[in-house]
C-alpha cells in the first residue's frame, strides 16, 4: 500500500503513467493571456507532476510534449515551445539528478532544432545512471510514424534474410518500437482538458491501458488532480480480456 500525497491510501499505483498534456492555449485564453503564457504554466505543471510521481514511486512517466502534428502550428509557437523545452531541460537537470530520475526521449528527434536536441542529449547523459524513475518525453512523436518506422526496419531485415516473416510475433514486432526494451506498456493514461481521444499517442503500447479523461486544463493539473486520477486507477479491475 503506497501512501498518497494527501494521506489517502493507494492500493495500486501505475507502473507506467502516460499523460497527454492538453489545454495550455485554452487555459491561457481563459485568463486573458497569450498561448505562450499557457505553455509556460504547463511547464510548471510538468515540474510539479514529475516530482509528485517520483515521490509516489511511480517507476515510469511518459509525457506527450510535442506531437508530429504539432509541426503544423505557426512557426513562432513552435520556436517558443522548443526554446521553453530547452530552458526546462537545462534548469531541471540538477533536480532530476537529485531525485534519481532518468530522462529519455522518443520520437523523430532528428527533426528537433539542434539546440533543443543538444539539451536533450546532455540531460539524458547527465541522468543516465539514475534509476528511481524514467521520465520519457515524446517529442516530434506520432504513433503511426513509430509503427511505420518499426515496419521499415523490420522489413529491411526480412529482405536481408535475417528474420523470416513467419517468425514475426507481437513480441518481436514491439522490440522495434521506440519504447523497447526499457519501457513497459503504460497501464494508465491521463488526458487533460476535456478531449476524449488518443491523438496518435503510443498506439501500439496503449492496447490494454486504463484511460482517464479530465476537463482540467494541463496548466491547472497539479498534485490534487493527479491524486484524484490515481484513486480512479486504483479502483479499476484489469482483466486483460480474461475472466476474473
Ligand atoms: C497542448 O496544449 C500542449 C502542447 C502542444 C505542448 C505541451 C507543452 C508543455 C506542457 C510545456 C513544455 C513541456 C515540457 C516538457 C517542459 P495546446 O497548445 O494544444 O492547448 P489548446 O488545445 O488549449 O490550444
Amino acid at each position: 500500500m503506497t501512501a498518497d500525497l494527501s494521506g489517502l491510501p493507494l492500493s495500486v499505483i501505475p507502473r507506467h503513467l502516460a499523460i497527454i498534456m492538453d489545454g495550455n492555449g485554452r487555459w491561457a485564453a481563459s485568463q486573458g493571456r497569450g498561448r505562450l503564457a499557457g505553455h509556460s504554466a504547463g511547464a510548471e505543471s510538468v515540474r510539479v507532476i514529475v516530482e509528485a510521481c517520483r515521490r509516489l514511486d511511480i517507476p515510469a512517466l511518459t509525457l506527450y510534449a510535442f506531437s508530429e502534428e504539432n509541426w503544423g502550428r505557426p512557426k513562432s509557437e513552435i520556436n517558443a515551445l522548443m526554446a521553453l523545452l530547452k530552458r526546462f531541460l537545462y534548469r531541471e537537470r540538477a533536480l532530476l539528478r537529485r531525485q534519481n530520475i532518468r530522462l529519455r526521449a522518443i520520437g523523430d528527434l532528428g527533426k528537433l532544432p539542434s539546440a533543443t536536441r543538444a539539451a536533450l542529449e546532455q540531460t539524458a547523459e547527465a541522468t543516465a545512471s539514475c534509476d528511481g524513475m524514467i521520465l520519457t518525453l515524446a517529442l516530434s512523436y506520432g504513433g503511426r510514424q513509430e509503427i511505420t518506422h518499426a515496419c521499415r526496419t523490420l522489413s529491411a531485415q526480412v529482405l536481408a534474410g535475417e528474420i523470416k516473416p513467419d517468425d514475426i510475433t507481437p513480441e518481436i514486432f514491439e522490440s522495434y518500437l521506440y519504447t523497447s526494451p526499457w519501457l513497459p506498456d503504460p497501464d494508465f493514461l491521463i488526458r487533460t482538458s476535456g478531449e476524449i481521444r488518443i491523438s496518435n499517442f503510443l498506439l501500439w503500447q496503449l492496447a490494454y491501458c486504463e484511460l482517464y479523461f479530465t476537463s482540467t486544463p494541463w496548466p491547472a493539473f497539479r498534485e490534487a488532480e493527479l491524486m484524484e486520477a490515481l484513486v480512479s486507477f486504483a479502483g479499476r479491475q484489469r482483466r486483460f480480456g480474461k475472466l476474473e
Side-chain angles (χ1 to χ4, degrees), residues 21-27 35 38-40 42-43 46 63-67 70 73 77 81 84-85 88-89 137 139 193 195 218:
M21 309 181 288
D22 195 11
N24 293 352
R26 277 164 285 169
W27 177 87
R35 297 183 58 79
H39 293 316
S40 294
V46 170
L63 302 175
Y64 204 4
F66 193 86
S67 71
N70 287 153
R73 293 195 175 194
E77 182 168 343
L81 270 170
L84 180 64
L85 185 62
F88 176 88
L89 289 167
L137 299 182
L139 289 164
S193 212
E195 311 296 348
W218 177 249

Side-chain angles (χ1 to χ4, degrees), residues 105-120:
I106 54 171
D108 191 354
L109 306 178
K111 280 182 155 178
L112 299 175
S114 54
T116 306
R117 223 170 45 232
L120 263 181

Side-chain angles (χ1 to χ4, degrees), residues 16-21 61-67 69 106 136-139 141-146 179 186 188-191 197-207:
H16 180 185
L17 168 63
I19 305 184
I20 301 178
M21 309 181 288
L61 170 66
T62 298
L63 302 175
Y64 204 4
F66 193 86
S67 71
E69 291 71 27
I106 54 171
T136 304
L137 299 182
L139 289 164
Y141 175 86
R144 288 181 171 177
Q145 289 80 354
E146 178 183 32
T179 43
F188 194 39
L189 172 85
I190 297 174
R191 181 174 186 146
R197 53 179 173 258
I198 299 301
S199 297
N200 206 15
F201 189 41
L202 299 174
L203 293 181
W204 174 284
Q205 297 89 335
L206 290 179

